[in-house]
Amino acid sequence: MNLFFEESGDFKVGTVLSQAGEAYQVEMASGKRTKVKVKDVLLQYEKPAPAELHEQARKVAAEIDLDFLWEVAGEEEFGFAELGVEYFGHAPLPFEAAGLILSLHTAPIYFYKKGRGRYKAAPEQSLRAAQAGIEKKQQQALIQAGYVEQLKANKLPESMQNIVLQLLFKPDKNSIEYKAMEAACNELHSSPQRLMLATGGIASPKDLHMSKFLFENFPRGAGFPDVPVPQAPGKLPLAEVQAFSIDDVTTTEIDDAFSITHLADGKVKVGIHIAAPALGIKPDDVVDKMARGRMSTVYMPGDKITMLPDAIVNAFTLAEGKTCPALSLYATLDPADWSVLKTETRAELVPIASNLRHNDLDELVNEETLASGAGEYAHKAELALLWQWAQQLEQGRMAKREGFGLKPEQNNRVDFNFYVEDDVVTVSRRKRGAPLDKIVAELMIFANSSWGKLMHEHGVPGIYRAQGGGSGGWAAKMQVRMVTHAAPHQGLGVDQYAWSTSPLRRYTDLVNQWQILACAEHGVTAPLVAPFKPKDANLFAIVSAFDAAYAAYGDFQSNMERYWCLRWLGQQEARQVEAVVLKDEVLRLVDIPLIIKLPGMPQVARGAQVKLDILRWDEVDLSIEARLLEIPVAATVAADAELDYEDEDGADGAPAAEADAEAEAAKVEGAADVELEVVEADGEAAAAAPPAD
């Protein structure tokens, strides 16, 4: 006797060897033996042989007209044998019954299974809906196949043209457009990004990186709505100074300027004047909400996305020839030892006499010319005086830094500036610690520290940068963190440090400016009128949101710097280049700040300069391949070798150097980031933001 039975949702045929109770011992056509329960058996028969029956049943199933079978079935539940009599016109033969079972089982839209060998015809409405769904899927499959062929021919289907970014960065994986893109990528052995570049959906790798950033961080676009330009109060006193700023030629958001007044008693009053948008922008007004939504200006080589609209920036930037509302910090100094005798903070209107630019002064103003008095340039005497005070400020910070147990800062680092014009990039090197940079950096650190102290003494919370004194290992303790109370910044060598000097381009500085203005205007009652109170949940939320946004912006800037470094290689047709060893397998090119990881590189002293052969690079995934060509016999330390990594606030030290080098290696391995060098004057990235600020 042979059996046709169901096992694990499949139908099988076998010959009975024996029966024991409610189970059969069955031998399959393949020779395999299995146990079959009586309840799973659908047919018992003698002929034909199992393999032959199975083949005949398949032929019967293929010939059955499902629509006719559905009409014959009626509306009541039935067994397959009953339907077989109606359909075949006679009691079905074994192979006919088996074929009918296969047909019923493989047509779930026509027949619902109700039990072993029992079925019920689907209602007509359900059947027609299911058939329509199948028809729709078939049509979609045809459309999808057409899309695939177009994509393979480097043509972008019309239906995809307006959803390219969504397909790349936030796709609906059930859409036929995404499935077509995925299928085309599989057939072409490509990636979605490269496919969209090939079809013209994305114009260039630069647009790809930019589009991804905007899609994720500016989903409504980087433009601004029309908003009224806020105005500073009309009764501000006029400062009796002629202030000047020092910035890169590309800087438009001029936040800071300086002035010097010689007093009758021989003392000197230095003014640090910061643009004061907080005098016009009020917490929770429309401009504040707009700035808070962005948190910071986004910098990249050759471009930027400002935190505030141009009209508002122009209203408060410290532009040459204007009298601008400013928050001023005056420090009265004794030139005998450059000690600070007193400080004073007030809001006022400040005349801006000059906007000095690094590009014009870098060759004229250096340590030698400042010492000898050589050369002629604007504000020469004022710059010489500020240079002397800046050196004293730095010495004081280094002494305090050493008091925290840290070694002095390294001054042998190099900053890189990117300039992009007509898609051609120029990268220039600037030695860190040049006089103009140091003047701005030291005076900004002094202002941020002084105003942080002012808020603390008045019991007004602010947003501070703190470093050191944390828990965990050395690296964890030295991690820079943002807090809402005064705390030491050991890397900078100051007792407190509150970002306050870039309110046109950083939201934290705008918040702190509101708080500082409350202290300056209201004194001991400042805690009652300051916009943010101690333990203010809103202030904590700002810190958290700023951290997230600033990290995303920093990653994007790093990616774009890496992209432009790769473009530089192509434009210069650079194949053999010099590089300096940062740590183990991590190197940085000498001429541009491009970090490369070279697996298997022999042990070379940190700071040694080597020659590399550039094999290939990829502007899409920002990867680069190179091989080592030459190691000098006497590996000497390059003059600008970065023997220590700095954290983003300028602190360095041996343990941190190790941790940062490991982090760089991880970044380069992922081919996504490039070293982000920062001057801690305001914490702006030197490569894209104004170098000294």
Side-chain angles (χ1 to χ4, degrees):
M1 182 172 62
N2 299 316
L3 302 180
F4 182 82
F5 59 94
E6 185 175 354
E7 182 182 75
S8 301
D10 195 12
F11 296 99
K12 300 180 180 180
V13 187
T15 302
V16 175
L17 299 178
S18 62
Q19 181 178 7
E22 296 296 315
Y24 295 100
Q25 184 73 16
V26 176
E27 184 177 57
M28 314 291 286
S30 64
K32 179 183 175 182
R33 296 186 177 186
T34 185
K35 183 185 290 186
V36 179
K37 295 180 180 179
V38 171
K39 68 181 183 63
D40 293 333
V41 176
L42 296 170
L43 292 171
Q44 296 183 11
Y45 68 96
E46 293 184 2
K47 294 180 180 179
E52 185 179 349
L53 178 129
H54 206 271
E55 183 62 30
Q56 291 176 348
R58 289 182 182 277
K59 291 181 180 179
V60 169
E63 294 172 356
I64 287 178
D65 184 339
L66 288 173
D67 289 308
F68 178 66
L69 186 65
W70 177 80
E71 291 179 3
V72 169
E75 297 181 358
E76 301 299 323
E77 184 180 319
F78 59 85
F80 70 90
E82 303 167 27
L83 183 62
V85 172
E86 293 291 330
Y87 183 79
F88 295 109
H90 58 81
L93 299 173
F95 73 90
E96 291 176 327
L100 182 60
I101 292 171
L102 292 176
S103 184
L104 291 168
H105 185 75
T106 56
I109 69 168
Y110 285 88
F111 303 100
Y112 301 154
K113 188 174 182 181
K114 294 296 183 179
R116 191 74 66 184
R118 297 194 63 77
Y119 297 87
K120 183 177 181 180
E124 182 175 3
Q125 185 176 0
S126 300
L127 174 62
R128 301 309 174 209
Q131 288 175 327
I134 291 174
E135 177 67 19
K136 182 180 178 181
K137 287 183 178 179
Q138 291 173 341
Q139 292 298 322
Q140 288 179 334
L142 291 174
I143 295 172
Q144 180 178 317
Y147 288 168
V148 171
E149 292 306 312
Q150 289 183 64
L151 291 170
K152 288 166 62 178
N154 289 340
K155 295 180 180 178
L156 187 65
E158 186 176 350
S159 67
M160 292 188 182
Q161 291 175 5
N162 294 326
I163 58 171
V164 169
L165 300 184
Q166 183 178 335
L167 286 171
L168 288 178
F169 309 129
K170 195 177 180 181
D172 174 4
K173 295 187 177 181
N174 293 318
S175 68
I176 61 174
E177 289 84 3
Y178 176 80
K179 291 177 180 178
M181 181 181 72
E182 188 176 45
C185 287
N186 290 336
E187 292 187 36
L188 295 171
H189 303 290
S190 184
S191 66
Q193 291 81 0
R194 296 183 194 281
L195 181 61
M196 288 299 125
L197 285 166
T199 61
I202 297 290
S204 67
K206 180 183 77 171
D207 290 339
L208 173 67
H209 301 308
M210 188 71 183
S211 297
K212 182 176 188 296
F213 173 75
L214 292 176
F215 185 85
E216 294 175 349
N217 295 276
F218 293 85
R220 298 181 181 177
F224 291 96
D226 290 331
V227 294
V229 177
Q231 300 296 320
K235 296 182 179 180
L236 292 174
L238 179 65
E240 296 181 0
V241 299
Q242 291 294 307
F244 60 93
S245 64
I246 306 172
D247 292 283
D248 185 72
V249 68
T250 59
T251 302
T252 57
E253 301 154 293
I254 303 175
D255 290 299
D256 52 82
F258 313 103
S259 66
I260 293 176
T261 304
H262 293 274
L263 304 179
D265 59 1
K267 305 299 189 290
V268 174
K269 182 188 287 187
V270 174
I272 301 173
H273 311 285
I274 305 300
L279 290 170
I281 303 171
K282 302 304 178 186
D284 294 324
D285 70 10
V286 62
V287 179
D288 172 45
K289 291 176 181 178
M290 190 164 51
R292 183 169 175 176
R294 300 196 174 203
M295 285 293 173
S296 170
T297 290
V298 183
Y299 290 100
M300 69 204 84
D303 203 358
K304 62 183 175 182
I305 302 171
T306 58
M307 182 179 77
L308 295 169
D310 289 344
I312 297 177
V313 170
N314 292 338
F316 291 97
T317 188
L318 304 183
E320 180 176 310
K322 292 175 58 179
T323 298
C324 306
L327 179 63
S328 298
L329 172 65
Y330 288 100
T332 301
L333 311 177
D334 183 350
D337 56 4
W338 298 105
S339 58
V340 179
L341 303 179
K342 67 175 182 176
T343 60
E344 179 187 1
T345 297
R346 62 173 178 262
E348 59 187 1
L349 294 173
V350 176
I352 307 299
S354 308
N355 292 146
L356 305 182
R357 302 295 186 175
H358 287 285
N359 309 60
D360 300 325
L361 292 180
D362 276 351
E363 294 184 4
L364 296 173
V365 183
N366 53 54
E367 294 186 26
E368 291 74 21
T369 58
L370 286 169
S372 65
E376 293 298 328
Y377 43 87
H379 300 280
K380 177 179 177 180
E382 291 95 328
L383 289 173
L385 188 148
L386 292 179
W387 170 239
Q388 295 181 64
W389 186 36
Q391 294 179 89
Q392 294 299 316
L393 288 173
E394 182 184 41
Q395 291 175 17
R397 288 195 305 107
M398 291 305 99
K400 186 174 284 289
R401 178 185 164 100
E402 291 181 32
F404 287 131
L406 303 178
K407 66 181 183 180
E409 288 178 356
Q410 298 292 322
N411 290 319
N412 58 347
R413 298 182 55 137
V414 170
D415 293 325
F416 295 85
N417 288 354
F418 289 77
Y419 301 96
V420 180
E421 187 172 351
D422 296 331
D423 224 29
V424 176
V425 61
T426 302
V427 184
S428 62
R429 294 156 50 94
R430 301 179 73 249
K431 184 178 179 181
R432 183 168 296 185
L436 291 179
D437 289 343
K438 186 172 292 187
I439 287 170
V440 176
E442 291 300 333
L443 269 64
M444 293 303 103
I445 294 173
F446 175 79
N448 287 326
S449 179
S450 298
W451 278 332
K453 181 180 180 182
L454 178 71
M455 289 189 287
H456 174 65
E457 290 176 344
H458 283 76
V460 171
I463 300 176
Y464 292 83
R465 306 278 289 175
Q467 185 185 45
S471 58
W474 195 94
K477 289 180 180 179
M478 294 308 294
Q479 182 178 3
V480 179
R481 60 196 187 279
M482 299 188 77
V483 295
T484 59
H485 60 274
H489 192 306
Q490 294 185 6
L492 287 177
V494 292
D495 292 322
Q496 63 282 314
Y497 185 77
W499 265 348
S500 313
T501 52
S502 291
L504 291 175
R505 44 196 170 97
R506 237 181 357 230
Y507 189 71
T508 51
D509 301 53
L510 180 62
V511 168
N512 281 341
Q513 192 171 83
W514 281 320
Q515 302 294 86
I516 295 164
L517 283 168
C519 296
E521 294 173 8
H522 299 279
V524 294
T525 62
L528 302 176
V529 297
F532 300 94
K533 307 298 187 286
K535 298 184 179 179
D536 192 322
N538 202 21
L539 195 60
F540 292 125
I542 290 171
V543 169
S544 177
F546 180 86
D547 265 340
Y550 210 60
Y553 297 172
D555 288 343
F556 171 66
Q557 179 177 328
S558 295
N559 286 342
M560 293 310 294
E561 288 176 2
R562 189 172 183 86
Y563 166 80
W564 284 110
C565 283
L566 298 179
R567 286 299 303 271
W568 184 91
L569 290 176
Q571 291 168 6
Q572 299 293 322
E573 298 183 356
R575 287 298 179 266
Q576 295 187 2
V577 296
E578 301 291 331
V580 62
V581 178
L582 301 182
K583 181 182 184 294
D584 298 335
E585 300 175 343
V586 181
L587 304 91
R588 192 213 69 206
L589 301 195
V590 170
D591 294 322
I592 56 175
L594 179 61
I595 304 296
I596 297 178
K597 186 177 182 184
L598 213 60
M601 179 176 169
Q603 192 73 28
V604 179
R606 293 177 64 183
Q609 193 162 304
V610 300
K611 182 175 286 188
L612 300 179
D613 183 23
I614 304 296
L615 303 177
R616 63 187 66 86
W617 63 84
D618 192 317
E619 295 176 7
V620 176
D621 62 19
L622 303 179
S623 62
I624 184 169
E625 294 180 30
R627 64 181 177 182
L628 187 63
L629 278 183
E630 181 182 325
I631 302 176
V633 177
T636 58
V637 176
D640 65 342
E642 299 183 54
L643 302 184
D644 291 293
Y645 282 80
E646 291 188 3
D647 74 4
E648 70 164 345
D649 278 348
D652 63 351
E658 298 297 315
D660 286 344
E662 295 296 340
E664 280 303 333
K667 284 182 179 180
V668 176
E669 195 157 31
D673 290 305
V674 66
E675 182 187 29
L676 180 64
E677 299 189 12
V678 173
V679 178
E680 183 57 72
D682 272 349
E684 291 300 341
D693 203 15

